[in-house]
Amino acid sequence: MKPIEGNNVEDGEVTERTERKAWFREKTISINRVKVVIFEAPFDAKKEDEVDNTGMRVWPAAQVLALYVLNHPETTRKCEGILELGAGAGVTGLLVAKSCGRPAGVVITDGEHHVLDLTRRNIEANFKEDGRPTCEYLRWGENVDEFKDRFGTFDLIMATDVLYCPEALEPFFMTAKQLLSSKPSAQLLVSHTNRSYVPHYKVRKAGSTCGFKVTDIPLQSIPGCAEMSRATAADPRHPMLQRMQVFRFTLKASVIKGDPSP
């Protein structure tokens, strides 16, 4: 498997090549001169064998959160462990792993085994065997203690557009709460697309109920978002950018001190 040569790919640009036999499209994504090769299911591809391919596509929220983290290197500079939840193709985790200089300290997870096969392929396309991110199965609310025993807690947890089902809110935030370190600087970063069934206010409320403080990060404050919006204007997923918000969640002081109530 030979990645597309990315030397001539400018920041914000995407080059594409479809692998018809394997059903996947190969693309190179560049943000702040950090480049990754990604395989994804084409946006117009039909599901094969009734497999849900939602997590096998690159959605705008992944690139938006990567833009934020890569433009704020202090976010990862002193992190002891970085975790991505519901990573799908793994765009955000891969870009952050390349930029932070400690890819082996990044754990990229998803709760669907068929999606993880693609995630592993993307990791292998971007990293040598020594010092690459870890790819692991993790379904929110299930066997989280065992996962924590293996990997410990994380100073940074990321998730991109994973809260599109109301019933996912509580297990997502409780899982993040268990795995986020108790350091005052530890944070959960979530990029979310506003939807009628899971609007922004429900995400804020669920986070607060589970013991988090929330801070909104407007898209217009993230360098590169306006350029990305213009560059992807022809993409059918483009309207999502207009409904997106990045949230920073930190543990409430009472949770850090061990008070069981949020």
Side-chain angles (χ1 to χ4, degrees):
M1 177 179 60
K2 183 180 179 181
I4 292 177
E5 295 297 330
N7 293 337
N8 297 319
V9 180
E10 300 296 332
D11 276 351
E13 253 185 74
V14 173
T15 62
E16 300 179 356
R17 181 176 70 205
T18 301
E19 291 185 83
R20 298 187 184 279
K21 292 182 180 179
W23 185 59
F24 293 112
R25 177 176 62 187
E26 180 181 338
K27 63 181 3 176
T28 297
I29 297 174
S30 176
I31 293 179
N32 286 15
R33 298 186 180 184
V34 179
K35 299 172 185 177
V36 292
V37 174
I38 295 293
F39 292 89
E40 69 161 349
F43 184 66
D44 56 355
K46 296 180 180 179
K47 295 178 183 180
E48 290 192 351
D49 303 322
E50 301 302 318
V51 171
D52 184 357
N53 57 31
T54 302
M56 304 171 81
R57 298 168 177 165
V58 176
W59 298 95
Q63 291 170 260
V64 166
L65 190 57
L67 272 170
Y68 175 78
V69 176
L70 268 62
N71 276 292
H72 293 82
E74 70 279 3
T75 304
T76 60
R77 187 171 292 131
K78 296 182 179 180
C79 276
E80 294 183 11
I82 298 172
L83 172 68
E84 184 173 10
L85 296 173
V91 173
T92 307
L94 291 172
L95 284 164
V96 171
K98 278 202 168 185
S99 68
C100 75
R102 302 179 307 281
V106 178
V107 181
I108 301 175
T109 68
D110 201 274
E112 300 291 346
H113 288 291
H114 70 277
V115 175
L116 282 176
D117 290 339
L118 177 62
T119 313
R120 290 189 184 95
R121 181 179 185 181
N122 286 334
I123 291 173
E124 292 167 2
N126 290 279
F127 294 91
K128 296 179 180 179
E129 188 170 353
D130 292 337
R132 65 172 50 154
T134 300
C135 183
E136 288 291 329
Y137 175 84
L138 179 62
R139 186 173 285 273
W140 309 330
E142 298 180 11
N143 303 314
V144 180
D145 287 335
E146 292 161 0
F147 185 90
K148 185 176 179 179
D149 287 342
R150 290 182 61 198
F151 297 102
T153 58
F154 300 84
D155 291 348
L156 174 63
I157 300 179
M158 307 177 295
T160 66
D161 215 3
V162 297
L163 300 173
Y164 46 83
C165 298
E167 57 272 20
L169 289 167
E170 183 177 358
F172 170 80
F173 280 110
M174 292 306 293
T175 297
K177 180 179 175 181
Q178 282 184 259
L179 297 177
L180 191 65
S181 82
S182 59
K183 294 178 183 177
S185 59
Q187 58 186 322
L188 163 66
L189 295 176
V190 178
S191 56
H192 177 67
T193 301
N194 198 53
R195 297 178 174 89
S196 60
Y197 38 94
V198 188
H200 291 326
Y201 82 86
K202 284 192 176 181
V203 175
R204 295 187 190 96
K205 182 178 180 180
S208 178
T209 300
C210 292
F212 288 95
K213 296 184 295 183
V214 60
T215 303
D216 290 5
I217 302 172
L219 252 62
Q220 57 266 33
S221 71
I222 302 175
C225 268
E227 291 82 356
M228 189 179 90
S229 183
R230 287 193 294 270
T232 60
D235 191 306
R237 292 163 285 190
H238 174 72
M240 289 183 173
L241 284 168
Q242 316 307 320
R243 299 184 280 116
M244 204 172 294
Q245 176 73 57
V246 175
F247 299 106
R248 177 189 294 111
F249 293 93
T250 55
L251 291 172
K252 294 178 180 178
S254 59
V255 175
I256 294 174
K257 292 176 182 177
D259 187 340
S261 59

